[in-house]
Every structure is written in structure tokens, then in C-alpha cells.
Amino acid sequence: MQCSKCKEPAVISEPARCKKHFLADFEQKVKDTIERFQLLQKGQKIAVAASGGKDSLTIMVLLKKWYENVTAITIDEGIEGYRAKTMEDLQRVCKEQNIPLITKSYKDFTGYTLDEMLKKQKFHPCTICGTFRRHLISIASKEFDVLVTGHNADDEAQTILMNLLKGNTDIFPRNGPKTGVGAKGFTQRVKPLYFCTEKEVATFAFLNGFVSEFIECPNAPEGFRYLIRTVLNNHGTKETKQHILEQFLKMKETFPTKSVELPPCKNCGEPSARETCKTCEFLMVVQS
Ligand code: SF4
Ligand code: ZN
């Protein structure tokens, strides 16, 4: 296969691109997304939620190149055979790029690693893990103007389908490339990789040497997301995912644009739709 721009050997298909043209196109796509949705401004204090996987390393390095004031925030869940390797990649890239790294862990927050919590109680791993991660990142990002996440087009198309199938359409206004605009108590969240497919991000991260191998959390196959991802990858195409995102964005324009003002949780003070937030509820069970 040849690059359709220069006829050099292609490193990726759909469209066929050589290394040089793929890397240039990828960066331009991310820049276009930032511009289209006005995701970031020069001079902002930027935090990147970084797991050390391909997505977060890619966006972290690109933003450091374009914006300078970038800090990484990472959460150590305590997952045997997974976190140590991604943490190693994250620490290496942060050091190479001179990016400060803030680390929070479930062990420090709850007294237990995720593995220990799952041995102690019958939790669904991703439900408790996602709740604690959102809470810790939300606390750690308060001193920043904006929080960047590495969600890619595959992640976002999956999220839209998952919410639709579960009937969670009330949270649609909180999905999309820019969320939490003007919401009291939340740092605004943005997703510059919104239109980049998982394959494109993996290729970019691999060609730049950010990751040596792609490893996945051993709990991932237990989640509903895994099922939706398998269906989309086996029966959908790049265009299917793109189509889901563009149709969702069209639909989002019709949602009322009111800013959310949630009352504080009576235990931790974080904004919550319930009297006691989900994090505090889980914490009580874990520590009982
Ligand atoms: Fe946590 Fe589930 Fe993600 Fe694993 S797959 S890191 S358990 S949310
Ligand atoms: Zn709380």
C-alpha cells in the first residue's frame, strides 16, 4: 500500500498515509478540533488526566508542544499486572518532556487498592473504579483552568451508544468534546482527540515511541463498554463511528444550554445530585 499523497510506503490505511503525512494529518486534525470547539486558549493552566496509555500520552505531548503550561494528573488504582507498566511509560514521557506529574492513589484515599477492594466486596470493578477516579481527578484538577482527557472517537461513539441503550439520555448534555462549561465546582473538561480513531491514536503513539506495548486493564472485559466496543469494531467502520459523533453533535445543539449547579455532598462537599455522593457511598461500604 502506498501513501496517496506521496507514493511512499503507507503506515496506515483509510486514508493511506506514509509516516510523514500521517503524523502531519493527525496533528492537524487535533488542532482543527481544538479550534472548532474552542477547547483551549493560550496562557491557560492545563491539566491532563493521564493513565500512561496511548491516548493520554499522545495528547499530553502535543499540548506541551503547543501550549507549554501542562501538568499531568494520574490515578494509581492498584491493579496488578497493568498499572505498573503504564505508570512506567507515563513517568518516562513526563521526564523526557519536562511535564510535572501529580499522582493520587486509591490506596491513599480508601486504604485499599482496587484489587483489594474487589477481593473484599462484590463490586462491579469499572463502576467503583470510575467513580473514585472521577472524584480524585476532580479534586486534583481544581487549581487548573481546564482538564484535558484523552478520549478518542471510538471511546466517544461507545459512550453515546451505551447511554442510549441504557436510557441515560438525561446525561447527553454532559457528553461531547467540551463539558462542564460554567458548571460550579467543576473544572471544564475538554477532549481534543474527539475525532481521532483508536487506530490512529495507537499508530501516532507507537510511531513516536510513547508506548512500547499496548496493554489493557484485566477488568475491561467485564464492562458493558467492552461489549459495545466489540460490536462497533466487528460490525462498524471508521465512518460508522464518525457518523455517530456528528449526529450526536447535531442533536446536542438542540439541548437547552443551562449550567448545572449541584448542591454539595453532605460528607465531602463535592457537587452531587444526591445528598451523599456516589464516592462517599462507596467509601462507606469499602471501609465498613
Ligand atoms: Fe478501572 Fe474498569 Fe478502566 Fe480497569 S477497565 S481501569 S477497572 S474503569
Ligand atoms: Zn461525597
Side-chain angles (χ1 to χ4, degrees):
M1 190 175 39
Q2 291 178 326
C3 172
S4 44
K5 283 192 172 172
C6 70
K7 307 295 174 216
E8 286 292 309
V11 293
I12 194 165
S13 57
E14 301 177 81
R17 290 285 182 268
C18 66
K19 181 176 174 182
K20 185 180 107 185
H21 285 118
F22 166 72
L23 294 176
D25 284 3
F26 184 92
E27 290 200 19
Q28 193 56 49
K29 195 195 267 197
V30 180
K31 281 183 180 166
D32 289 347
T33 305
I34 293 173
E35 202 175 311
R36 174 174 167 190
F37 298 98
Q38 300 184 339
L39 300 185
L40 295 161
Q41 313 295 332
K42 290 273 179 206
Q44 279 183 318
K45 244 178 122 185
I46 300 171
V48 178
S51 65
K54 61 185 186 328
D55 307 290
S56 54
L57 292 181
T58 293
I59 195 57
M60 188 178 84
V61 173
L62 285 179
L63 294 184
K64 176 70 179 173
K65 181 162 127 182
W66 298 331
Y67 293 89
E68 187 56 34
N69 195 348
V70 173
T71 297
I73 300 174
T74 195
I75 307 299
D76 182 355
E77 302 94 346
I79 303 172
E80 181 86 41
Y82 165 64
R83 179 46 77 215
K85 175 72 191 95
T86 46
M87 196 64 91
E88 212 176 90
D89 283 335
L90 178 61
Q91 286 166 346
R92 175 181 50 82
V93 176
C94 281
K95 202 167 168 208
E96 282 166 11
Q97 300 283 330
N98 199 20
I99 296 173
L101 175 63
I102 298 171
T103 307
K104 304 279 172 198
S105 76
Y106 291 176
K107 182 86 178 174
D108 288 344
F109 182 57
T110 69
Y112 301 94
T113 63
L114 183 67
D115 288 346
E116 288 165 349
M117 287 181 228
L118 298 178
K119 271 188 203 138
K120 208 169 167 267
Q121 301 267 353
K122 276 236 159 299
F123 293 117
H124 188 286
C126 300
T127 309
I128 189 160
C129 181
T131 304
F132 284 153
R133 184 187 302 108
R134 275 190 297 277
H135 179 84
L136 291 179
I137 287 185
S138 173
I139 306 271
S141 65
K142 283 201 193 294
E143 58 174 294
F144 295 89
D145 297 317
V146 62
L147 174 67
V148 175
T149 64
H151 292 96
N152 61 46
D154 288 52
D155 299 327
E156 291 300 298
Q158 291 156 16
T159 300
I160 293 165
L161 285 186
M162 283 164 66
N163 285 332
L164 196 61
L165 293 173
K166 284 182 169 177
N168 292 340
T169 47
D170 55 322
I171 63 170
F172 271 170
R174 284 185 264 149
N175 293 155
K178 188 177 192 175
T179 54
V181 189
K184 217 173 151 213
F186 291 107
T187 304
Q188 186 183 299
R189 292 179 177 228
V190 300
K191 301 167 187 165
L193 299 180
Y194 196 78
F195 291 110
C196 300
T197 63
E198 180 159 33
K199 188 175 162 194
E200 288 168 342
V201 182
T203 307
F204 188 87
F206 184 73
L207 290 175
N208 279 291
F210 300 153
V211 283
S212 39
E213 56 179 317
F214 297 112
I215 51 171
E216 192 160 60
C217 171
N219 299 317
E222 290 192 37
F224 183 43
R225 178 176 293 277
Y226 195 80
L227 172 72
I228 299 293
R229 184 173 87 170
T230 309
V231 171
L232 266 179
N233 285 348
N234 290 350
H235 304 287
T237 60
K238 183 177 171 181
E239 283 69 38
T240 314
K241 294 165 192 170
Q242 204 72 24
H243 189 68
I244 293 172
L245 297 183
E246 288 296 355
Q247 289 307 317
F248 171 75
L249 290 172
K250 260 192 213 158
M251 195 166 79
K252 197 170 152 71
E253 281 172 16
T254 66
F255 298 154
T257 49
K258 53 170 193 232
S259 66
V260 204
E261 192 158 333
L262 296 172
C265 160
K266 68 174 187 188
N267 287 320
C268 68
E270 280 298 288
S272 169
R274 317 154 173 217
E275 203 182 334
T276 303
C277 75
K278 242 167 113 185
T279 304
C280 289
E281 275 179 6
F282 275 134
L283 204 51
M284 281 179 237
V285 181
V286 167
Q287 293 176 334
S288 62

